[in-house]
Amino acid sequence: MDAEARIRIRLTELASRHSAPLLDGGVEVWPIGWKQKKPRRKETHNMSALYGTIEGAKGKATRCGHRELITHSACWNGAVRVELQHDKETNSTSYLVQLVPWHGTGENKVLAEGVMENQK
């Protein structure tokens, strides 16, 4: 093994101990199998305005919504449908709670509707 090969091996060993690559004559030396990390993009996701949870025999599940969230809770006699809609411009959330048929059984009836007050 010549001196250049030994230097290359040593540089690779050193690079494996560091998070950044070492330069060998202006060339990046990355250890074998080591992947260069891509720079992270700045995420510009807004937080969800609406949240829903459900708990059943298999545990708890959650869902998020930015503008709309619709849920159904059903039995053999019909279902209850809850709809939330968020308006970004006015920062208000409207709701609609109604009975709806489920697999052909039940009635259509609005139980409640309105706008949730902003408490801030």
Side-chain angles (χ1 to χ4, degrees), residues 15-45:
S16 66
R17 294 184 196 152
H18 300 282
S19 60
L22 297 175
L23 294 179
D24 177 25
V27 178
E28 292 182 349
V29 177
W30 292 90
I32 297 170
W34 202 70
K35 293 182 181 177
Q36 182 178 2
K37 292 182 181 178
K38 293 180 181 175
R40 291 187 86 185
R41 289 185 300 162
K42 278 195 170 182
E43 303 276 336
T44 57
H45 297 291

Side-chain angles (χ1 to χ4, degrees), residues 2-3 6-7 9 17 41 44 46 48 53-54 56 59 67 79 82-83 91 99 105 107 113 119:
D2 63 341
R6 277 183 288 183
I7 291 172
I9 290 171
R17 294 184 196 152
R41 289 185 300 162
T44 57
N46 295 329
S48 297
T53 62
I54 183 169
R67 286 174 279 192
V82 177
E83 179 179 336
N91 197 26
L99 292 175
T105 305
E107 61 178 317
E113 61 182 319
Q119 299 295 320

Side-chain angles (χ1 to χ4, degrees), residues 19-99:
S19 60
L22 297 175
L23 294 179
D24 177 25
V27 178
E28 292 182 349
V29 177
W30 292 90
I32 297 170
W34 202 70
K35 293 182 181 177
Q36 182 178 2
K37 292 182 181 178
K38 293 180 181 175
R40 291 187 86 185
R41 289 185 300 162
K42 278 195 170 182
E43 303 276 336
T44 57
H45 297 291
N46 295 329
M47 289 186 61
S48 297
L50 307 171
Y51 298 91
T53 62
I54 183 169
E55 194 165 349
K58 293 188 177 184
K60 196 175 199 178
T62 60
R63 288 292 180 264
C64 301
H66 292 285
R67 286 174 279 192
E68 183 177 63
L69 182 67
I70 299 173
T71 62
H72 287 86
S73 296
C75 68
W76 293 111
N77 299 323
V80 176
R81 180 179 188 269
V82 177
E83 179 179 336
L84 297 176
Q85 290 191 346
H86 183 72
D87 184 1
K88 276 187 175 180
E89 292 175 8
T90 62
N91 197 26
S92 64
T93 304
S94 60
Y95 63 90
L96 173 65
V97 182
Q98 59 190 134
L99 292 175

